[in-house]
Amino acid sequence: MTERPSSPTGLALGSDGYPAAGGVARRPVGADESARANRRWWDAAAPAYLAEHGSDLGDVEFLWCPEGLREDDAHLLGDVRGRRVLEIGCGSAPCSRWLRRAGADVVALDLSAGMLARAAALNRSTGIAVPLLQADAGALPLADGSVDIACSAFGGLPFVADAGAVLAEVARVLRPGGRFVASVNHPLRWPFPDSPDPEDLRVVSSYFDRTPYVETDDAGRTVYVEHHRTVGDWVRAVVGAGLVLVDLLEPEWTPGRTQNWGQWSPERGALVPGTLIVVAEAAG
């Protein structure tokens, strides 16, 4: 039997370069287990993920979602010039470099050292240096009221067990009137197969089943976790954190965009939403 190659994290890699799943389950997963698994998974997956999606993400671009919505066009954050901005789940930090180029004072945060290593390399190659911080989104190492804007483009929130705790941290570090914008997997994706083919738009599980999706390695160890919340769950989490909900966006597919991205595709995007964007503000 041919052994799978492994990453420096010790996770076996599949032929596509991503960590290989030995098994898939649906079961409860706590915050610590989620964080450990997803840190290792993203450390191992960073090269394959950026090889696959790096050209779309760009080095100095702010892409909100696979539908192709960009901050250049959306203006969800408002005028960022001179504002203190925190990006949560920055990955290779193209959004943070876009913000820095737009005149913001940025801090880019991620759980994954593998992603942050790529971010540091791109800081050097682009000449746009943003401070990089490795930390858990549920325990932001920033002072109360120290941030004007917080944002997250598919960064962290789908992978945390306690979204309410993360949102409470966001509310804590935002200044009164500060803005928070985050894009996440649209909850409607959950009951359908993970396929870009519109022929696969059939309900295979309950929209209301919040049991996390878990991948394990050949030894049964948890290597990847994704958490599901309904639209109502997201609204209650935002309000429960003391934030004021301003808007919920469901971006439509950008005309002329042809890229498939996992479950997202032009054909499927014409039928159902794939992304939910939460726009909120700190009270005051």
Side-chain angles (χ1 to χ4, degrees), residues 83-86 140-150 168-179 282-283:
R83 311 297 295 279
R84 178 76 162 165
V85 182
L86 169 66
L140 299 175
L142 298 171
D144 295 0
S146 60
V147 172
D148 296 302
I149 299 168
E169 277 291 272
V170 169
R172 179 184 65 79
V173 302
L174 278 176
R175 293 175 180 143
R179 174 159 284 218

Side-chain angles (χ1 to χ4, degrees), residues 115-127:
M115 279 294 188
L116 291 174
R118 180 59 176 159
L122 287 170
N123 277 354
R124 294 189 292 269
S125 65
T126 62

